[in-house]
Amino acid sequence: MNGTIFYFLDSELNILAAFDTYKSAIFTDRYWTPGDFELYIPATKAALDLARSASFVTRADDTTVCGLVEKIGIQTSKADGNFITVSGRLAAALLERRIVWRQTTYNGRAERIIRNLIENAFINL
């Protein structure tokens, strides 16, 4: 047990499992780009199946931080044994996947324009 509990979530944000056994957990915020994360968990068939079925990883103590599962790998070390590496970018990367389909003209304050674009393209689909 390492202290922090992590949740694997499916694409609908339903909790698939909670786990607290890991070798390392790194969540990095970045200023100009979406942050990233890496989890190193002991390799078992159940853990590998779970990682493969998960879309997101979040922390129980800070659910505002959510990572997109983008890569899953297995590492072998004589000293540490086999570990599954689950990594990806933080959820802000989802904004890169959206397209504003129609041309729009706005007038007014930049803050209001940006809010309208985000609401129309990401929230009120």
Side-chain angles (χ1 to χ4, degrees), residues 34-37 56-57 64-68 88-96:
D36 49 64
F37 77 97
F56 301 99
V57 173
T64 64
V65 177
C66 184
L68 303 170
R89 295 176 295 161
L90 297 185
L94 288 172
L95 296 176
E96 296 173 353

Side-chain angles (χ1 to χ4, degrees), residues 23-106:
K23 179 178 169 118
S24 175
I26 303 167
F27 280 70
T28 306
D29 284 325
R30 307 223 184 270
Y31 188 75
W32 293 107
T33 61
D36 49 64
F37 77 97
E38 286 185 346
L39 291 175
Y40 296 93
I41 57 178
T44 64
K45 181 171 177 0
L48 185 58
D49 291 343
L50 179 62
R52 287 180 174 158
S53 64
S55 297
F56 301 99
V57 173
T58 190
R59 299 171 49 132
D61 63 346
D62 186 1
T63 56
T64 64
V65 177
C66 184
L68 303 170
V69 176
E70 295 179 322
K71 295 178 189 172
I72 299 168
I74 297 178
Q75 294 183 342
T76 301
S77 163
K78 284 185 179 181
D80 298 325
N82 297 328
F83 278 87
I84 298 169
T85 305
V86 180
S87 62
R89 295 176 295 161
L90 297 185
L94 288 172
L95 296 176
E96 296 173 353
R97 298 180 182 180
R98 299 296 304 160
I99 298 172
V100 178
W101 287 104
R102 59 182 180 271
Q103 182 173 347
T104 308
T105 303
Y106 288 103

